[in-house]
């Protein structure tokens, strides 16, 4: 296939006016390409797929069918937000599949990171394929491919494409963001009226919390991770760190230590805070979080999250540590 190349003189979309012009142009191109046919989109709720969805809804409305697969490894509130924004506010044709049990059953007892990734990736394709085969008359598949995906598709990050789609699907592609950089996608998303917390989201791996719930995933530890992560995000928001730090999250390892809660012995997992800054995710530095904020986060997580009895801070830059813990 011909490689897509961004024209050198293409203007950087960095304001509302340019975003609106881009949207207008794409809306007519999409209508021209799709005509009265139907388009299928795997809508994860991440920035790219959300912006593609909003753009296609504007262009072709109910001819777009969005499928949101909840693999049970989403962050707190994410699937709910997809349903709220796309299903309700934008009145999209949205199919919501709660496949939590399928994924967690398959992952039971599996501790090797690469095997976990493979299971999640393969099952995602299976669930999506099953949903697609129930639908009639789909001619196109929309994808949130952006320009860095095209630039990177030749190597280093290939393993990050977990959650990709079946290669044998017989659809023509609709990829309206293929020439855009991430910052431009966010500007376009805002111009389309998507909520700020959706378009300004930090990167989140396809296998989701699966890579942060270390070792063999159990439902109770996954729940603890999700709750602790939600507290971290909330406190970063309140304390003005959310817009400043590139990526921040909690990882929970699969071992316990002894602690004391309500005057009783309390065995629990540690919650590890990771907060890094980077330009391209190839190297990363550590964000210095004020101690007062760390104390507050620690107090809240240990008081509010069942199963966690310690909070640790990871001070390791990349290299030598990767950004994720897995
Ligand atoms: P590492 O851990 O390799 O991560 O330093 C670099 C960046 O990539 C993200 N990441 C992923 N993104 N699918 C993705 O879309 C994945 O499977 C995946 N794994 C890691 C990670 O969050 C970090 O931003």
């Amino acid at each position: 296939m011909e490689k897509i190349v961004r024209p050198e003189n293409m203007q950087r979309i960095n304001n509302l006016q340019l975003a609106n012009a881009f949207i207008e142009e794409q809306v007519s191109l999409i209508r021209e390409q799709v005509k009265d046919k139907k388009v299928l989109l795997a809508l994860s709720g991440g920035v790219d797929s959300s912006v593609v969805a909003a753009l296609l809804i504007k262009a072709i409305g109910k001819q777009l069918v969005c499928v949101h697969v909840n693999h049970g490894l989403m962050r707190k509130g994410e699937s709910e937000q997809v349903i709220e924004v796309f299903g309700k506010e934008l009145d999209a044709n949205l199919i919501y599949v709660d496949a939590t049990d399928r994924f967690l059953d398959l992952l039971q007892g599996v501790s090797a990171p690469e095997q976990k990734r493979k299971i999640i990736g393969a099952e995602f394709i299976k669930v999506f394929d099953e949903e697609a085969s129930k639908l009639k008359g789909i001619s196109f598949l929309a994808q949130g491919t952006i320009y860095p995906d095209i630039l990177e598709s030749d190597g280093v990050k290939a393993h990050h494409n977990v959650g990709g789609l079946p290669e044998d699907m017989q659809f023509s592609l609709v990829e309206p963001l293929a020439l855009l950089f991430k910052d431009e996608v966010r500007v376009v998303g805002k111009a389309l009226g998507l909520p700020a917390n959706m378009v300004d989201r930090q990167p989140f791996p396809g296998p989701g919390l699966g890579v942060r719930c270390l070792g063999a995933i159990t439902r109770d530890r996954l729940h603890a991770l999700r709750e602790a992560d939600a507290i971290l995000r909330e406190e970063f928001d309140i304390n003005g760190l959310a817009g400043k730090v590139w990526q921040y999250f909690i990882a929970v390892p699969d071992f316990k230590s002894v602690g004391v809660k309500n005057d009783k012995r309390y065995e629990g997992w540690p919650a590890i805070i990771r907060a890094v800054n980077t330009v391209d995710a190839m190297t990363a530095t550590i964000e210095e979080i004020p101690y007062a904020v760390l104390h507050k986060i620690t107090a809240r997580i240990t008081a509010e999250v069942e199963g966690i009895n310690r909070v640790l801070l990871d001070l390791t830059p990349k290299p030598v540590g990767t950004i994720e813990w897995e």
Side-chain angles (χ1 to χ4, degrees):
M1 223 172 83
E2 212 178 304
K3 191 160 168 96
I4 300 168
V5 180
R6 180 174 167 123
E8 256 172 54
N9 61 356
M10 184 170 155
Q11 210 174 352
R12 195 86 173 194
I13 301 172
N14 56 9
N15 62 43
L16 192 63
Q17 201 187 349
L18 289 171
N20 283 331
F22 172 84
I23 292 166
E24 215 172 290
E25 186 191 6
Q26 285 302 324
V27 163
S28 59
L29 285 173
I30 292 164
R31 286 182 184 154
E32 223 169 88
Q33 184 188 5
V34 171
K35 302 200 172 68
D36 59 351
K37 301 283 192 305
K38 281 192 196 161
V39 182
L40 180 63
L41 170 72
L43 175 59
S44 68
V47 181
D48 306 335
S49 68
S50 296
V51 175
V52 169
L55 191 54
L56 281 157
I57 290 166
K58 192 173 173 80
I60 56 168
K62 301 259 176 175
Q63 282 165 256
L64 173 72
V65 183
C66 301
V67 176
H68 175 69
V69 177
N70 179 358
H71 51 23
L73 302 162
M74 308 290 283
R75 286 174 294 190
K76 190 170 179 174
E78 275 184 319
S79 287
E80 291 82 352
Q81 189 183 34
V82 169
I83 295 169
E84 181 62 34
V85 171
F86 293 98
K88 299 198 181 137
E89 287 169 27
L90 295 178
D91 193 25
N93 212 338
L94 172 69
I95 298 171
Y96 170 67
V97 189
D98 184 354
T100 302
D101 288 338
R102 282 178 67 160
F103 282 83
L104 296 188
D105 288 351
L106 280 173
L107 288 164
Q108 205 174 351
V110 181
S111 56
E114 284 305 314
Q115 207 188 338
K116 284 163 68 180
R117 277 180 178 277
K118 278 200 191 114
I119 290 172
I120 297 165
E123 191 62 10
F124 184 89
I125 289 175
K126 223 168 137 190
V127 174
F128 187 77
D129 218 5
E130 282 172 23
E131 290 305 318
S133 64
K134 286 185 210 159
L135 299 166
K136 297 274 171 298
I138 302 279
S139 310
F140 293 91
L141 183 71
Q143 284 189 323
T145 314
I146 65 171
Y147 201 50
D149 299 330
I150 291 166
L151 296 177
E152 282 163 14
S153 62
D154 43 5
V156 189
K157 283 200 171 174
H159 77 282
H160 284 170
N161 295 333
V162 176
L165 297 170
E167 278 169 13
D168 57 355
M169 277 192 164
Q170 298 301 314
F171 300 127
S172 308
L173 291 180
V174 181
E175 296 183 305
L177 309 179
L179 288 181
L180 302 194
F181 288 103
K182 197 76 170 194
D183 52 298
E184 299 177 289
V185 176
R186 296 191 208 275
V187 178
V188 169
K190 280 184 197 144
L192 284 163
L194 290 176
N197 70 350
M198 196 167 229
V199 291
D200 289 331
R201 275 164 46 126
Q202 44 170 328
F204 186 59
L209 299 181
V211 300
R212 299 173 184 170
C213 191
L214 310 179
I217 298 167
T218 56
R219 287 174 195 248
D220 53 355
R221 194 157 50 87
L222 180 62
H223 179 73
L225 164 60
R226 181 175 287 123
E227 294 298 317
D229 186 69
I231 292 172
L232 180 80
R233 289 194 286 139
E234 206 178 299
E235 289 299 326
F236 267 46
D237 263 338
I238 295 169
N239 292 287
L241 289 164
K244 208 173 142 226
V245 185
W246 196 80
Q247 195 171 12
Y248 47 96
F249 56 85
I250 296 281
V252 178
D254 56 345
F255 60 80
K256 287 185 171 179
S257 69
V258 176
V260 187
K261 210 173 192 175
N262 303 327
D263 297 326
K264 279 200 206 89
R265 181 184 165 101
Y266 187 84
E267 286 185 16
W269 305 288
I272 301 164
I273 300 174
R274 186 107 174 105
V276 299
N277 283 315
T278 176
V279 177
D280 57 7
M282 303 301 280
T283 62
T285 55
I286 295 305
E287 173 69 21
E288 299 209 352
I289 309 165
Y291 260 85
V293 178
L294 288 171
H295 284 305
K296 170 98 183 290
I297 292 167
T298 304
R300 282 197 60 195
I301 290 178
T302 50
E304 295 173 34
V305 183
E306 182 64 36
I308 303 274
N309 68 352
R310 288 171 201 264
V311 176
L312 316 182
L313 176 64
D314 182 358
L315 287 174
T316 322
K318 174 181 181 177
V320 71
T322 51
I323 293 176
E324 296 291 342
W325 268 69
E326 56 177 328

